[in-house]
Amino acid sequence: MISRSNIVDGSKPYIVEDRPMISRSSGDRVKILHLIQPGKEETGCLTCFYAPPSFPAIISHLLPCIDYPEYILREVHSSQYIYIRENSIEVNQPTIQPARSESVLGNVLCCGHSSTDLIVLDQVTVIYYDDLIMDEIRNDTRVCNPLQTFCCGGKGEEVRLESTFCGGLCYRGRRGTRGCFGCCCMPLCIPVGCPECLCPCAARVSVDVYRFC
């Protein structure tokens, strides 16, 4: 049972003295100041058609001439958003994952997943303005982006939020109590050229937008 003392009065500002950035102008909501149009994923010129809805998902993923079924691409595009909130930035950059299997055969052969049906996997990131990752915001769009998008596909223009030092040669580490390889509260120096898959602790986030400016 929820105690009345734990209910926030929505008519009054919500103030957090220990961390003011968490405060809100209204107790029961977070005000959205602006909406930014997210980047839309586009396939390259090699893609000829959408896969049928009942097409095996793994084939449409591997063949460059076949895109995912149109229904799942519409769901992904509809799920994307970038909110500039009063105290933070909220971004959803969803991906695609297999749906659950409804048959015994699918559970056995595909480890509980469907071989044809796909669903959206939301990936929501909230970054408060006092986060060190807000130290630098820059345009990191690749060179000749329209041409590369036509040839190989793309996701719009890329905005990079990051925190660097040593003249921009290294990223700061960002995960304190649960850092890379299980380290705890260990300062990390991560070279800027290190791929994100190898250095998930680097203080950097990429956001795909329709147009940077």
Side-chain angles (χ1 to χ4, degrees):
M1 185 175 179
I2 300 177
S3 173
R4 286 184 176 273
S5 61
N6 295 329
I7 299 177
V8 177
D9 186 354
S11 63
K12 299 179 180 179
Y14 178 75
I15 305 299
V16 180
E17 295 182 357
D18 293 330
R19 190 183 175 191
M21 190 57 65
I22 306 295
S23 303
R24 304 187 294 268
S25 58
S26 298
D28 58 352
R29 71 200 68 180
V30 178
K31 183 183 297 184
I32 297 176
L33 304 179
H34 300 285
L35 300 177
I36 296 179
Q37 185 175 356
K40 182 180 179 181
E41 185 169 2
E42 300 180 33
T43 56
C45 59
L46 296 178
T47 303
C48 304
F49 56 90
Y50 297 110
S54 59
F55 202 69
I58 189 172
I59 297 180
S60 61
H61 178 68
L62 296 177
L63 297 180
C65 61
I66 303 177
D67 202 354
Y68 284 110
E70 192 172 9
Y71 78 91
I72 191 63
L73 296 178
R74 288 199 303 265
E75 289 185 22
V76 169
H77 181 62
S78 300
S79 302
Q80 294 175 305
Y81 63 80
I82 303 174
Y83 294 156
I84 305 300
R85 311 194 305 185
E86 58 182 317
N87 56 6
S88 59
I89 299 175
E90 181 178 337
V91 181
N92 187 17
Q93 300 187 105
T95 59
I96 298 173
Q97 70 172 1
R100 69 172 63 87
S101 174
E102 303 295 342
S103 66
V104 177
L105 184 61
N107 289 332
V108 174
L109 297 180
C110 301
C111 301
H113 292 96
S114 172
S115 61
T116 57
D117 296 334
L118 300 169
I119 58 174
V120 173
L121 174 62
D122 293 301
Q123 296 189 119
V124 178
T125 302
V126 177
I127 305 172
Y128 286 88
Y129 296 139
D130 61 351
D131 194 311
L132 60 82
I133 209 170
M134 298 292 292
D135 288 351
E136 303 172 46
I137 302 176
R138 62 182 178 87
N139 187 352
D140 199 35
T141 305
R142 58 190 177 178
V143 180
C144 299
N145 185 57
L147 178 61
Q148 292 199 56
T149 299
F150 174 78
C151 297
C152 308
K155 297 181 179 181
E157 298 185 357
E158 183 179 350
V159 177
R160 175 65 63 88
L161 288 70
E162 61 188 11
S163 180
T164 61
F165 64 104
C166 289
L169 298 177
C170 297
Y171 290 117
R172 291 182 173 86
R174 191 162 178 260
R175 299 185 181 178
T177 58
R178 294 183 182 271
C180 294
F181 309 109
C183 60
C184 177
C185 298
M186 182 181 297
L188 298 173
C189 177
I190 303 168
V192 167
C194 182
E196 189 171 353
C197 59
L198 298 179
C199 304
C201 299
R204 60 183 173 188
V205 170
S206 295
V207 179
D208 299 316
V209 301
Y210 176 73
R211 186 169 295 168
F212 180 71
C213 59

